[in-house]
Amino acid sequence: EAGVTQFPSHSVIEKGQTVTLRCDPISGHDNLYWYRRVMGKEIKFLLHFVKESKQDESGMPNNRFLAERTGGTYSTLKVQPAELEDSGVYFCASSLYRGSTDTQYFGPGTRLTVL
Amino acid sequence: AQSVAQPEDQVNVAEGNPLTVKCTYSVSGNPYLFWYVQYPNRGLQFLLKYITGDNLVKGSYGFEAEFNKSQTSFHLKKPSALVSDSALYFCAVRAAGSTLGRLYFGRGTQLTVWP
């Protein structure tokens, strides 16, 4: 069974540019999460999809971030325009059930550097 | 509010010696607790979780963790460390019964096992 995949693995952009990150969850997983880790800090929650619906987007830092999950399969996270403080590693995770005991399985992350 | 503290940024141990990576948490109600590991250039891998029952939880690669409710701790342990255990370890918590799936992570602890 394929795990969670993310693309690209690395992205280097200049301040003011746009970047789109993609996540493909484990097949059949309705729940998809985005998290971010700024260097040396904790991993912070961004948002949670159940199928194509946003269940919880309370962690999104501001309206420069837009997440979509059309069709309830893969998800994209767009940052427009990017700022220096957006640099970090963006992780995607998926889980089968919405229950609080369920395990989330993470992808390898996308390392975003904004210059 | 829910939070996790990993008081040690770095833990160093000799191969063959026991290792402990510390984690304390704060949550409203009962906690569900998780440990993840990140090897270099890899994503987060699930190690183990505590939901209910026996306070000693066994996980992958010979790791185990002990839930201590009175001390609000969930320390990760291994009786005999291997050089290949060197990685970044994250503790995470979620409140039992929460309708939200988000995990709250600590800052991570870098474990180095030297030969």
Side-chain angles (χ1 to χ4, degrees), chain A residues 20-93:
Chain A
T20 300
L21 314 181
R22 172 171 170 145
C23 168
D24 286 77
I26 293 171
S27 178
H29 281 195
D30 286 342
N31 295 275
L32 188 150
Y33 304 82
W34 284 98
Y35 292 85
R36 176 175 72 175
R37 184 178 191 235
V38 173
M39 188 182 297
K41 300 277 183 76
E42 68 272 23
I43 299 170
K44 282 194 171 181
F45 167 83
L46 295 177
L47 88 159
H48 170 203
F49 283 101
V50 178
K51 297 185 180 179
E52 67 275 9
S53 299
K54 292 176 184 175
Q55 170 74 10
D56 178 7
E57 53 184 329
S58 61
M60 295 286 264
N62 52 61
N63 59 10
R64 295 185 294 103
F65 289 74
L66 175 64
E68 295 180 325
R69 193 182 182 196
T70 307
T73 55
Y74 71 91
S75 174
T76 58
L77 179 65
K78 180 189 287 188
V79 185
Q80 178 182 30
E83 298 289 344
L84 299 179
E85 63 264 26
D86 301 332
S87 295
V89 180
Y90 290 76
F91 291 103
C92 176

Side-chain angles (χ1 to χ4, degrees), chain B residues 16-114:
Chain B
N17 283 359
L19 70 87
T20 299
V21 182
K22 296 179 180 178
C23 170
T24 59
Y25 65 88
S26 173
V27 70
S28 300
N30 292 320
Y32 294 151
L33 294 152
F34 303 78
W35 274 103
Y36 287 85
V37 58
Q38 184 179 20
Y39 297 102
N41 301 314
R42 304 282 293 277
L44 292 167
Q45 292 183 30
F46 169 72
L47 272 181
L48 51 80
K49 66 182 177 183
Y50 171 82
I51 302 301
T52 188
D54 194 344
N55 289 343
L56 186 64
V57 180
K58 294 187 184 298
S60 307
Y61 313 121
F63 283 93
E64 57 189 28
E66 186 168 12
F67 170 61
N68 187 316
K69 188 171 184 177
S70 63
Q71 296 186 3
T72 61
S73 67
F74 189 55
H75 300 331
L76 182 70
K77 300 181 181 183
K78 188 172 182 181
S80 179
L82 300 172
V83 172
S84 57
D85 293 330
S86 298
L88 186 57
Y89 290 80
F90 290 95
C91 181
V93 69
R94 181 195 288 142
S98 172
T99 56
L100 300 177
R102 62 190 297 177
L103 290 170
Y104 293 82
F105 282 89
R107 292 164 61 106
T109 298
Q110 180 66 49
L111 172 68
T112 301
V113 182
W114 72 82

Side-chain angles (χ1 to χ4, degrees), chain A residues 87-107:
Chain A
S87 295
V89 180
Y90 290 76
F91 291 103
C92 176
S94 71
S95 69
L96 186 57
Y97 301 112
R98 194 164 56 176
S100 53
T101 63
D102 203 29
T103 299
Q104 294 178 20
Y105 296 93
F106 283 75

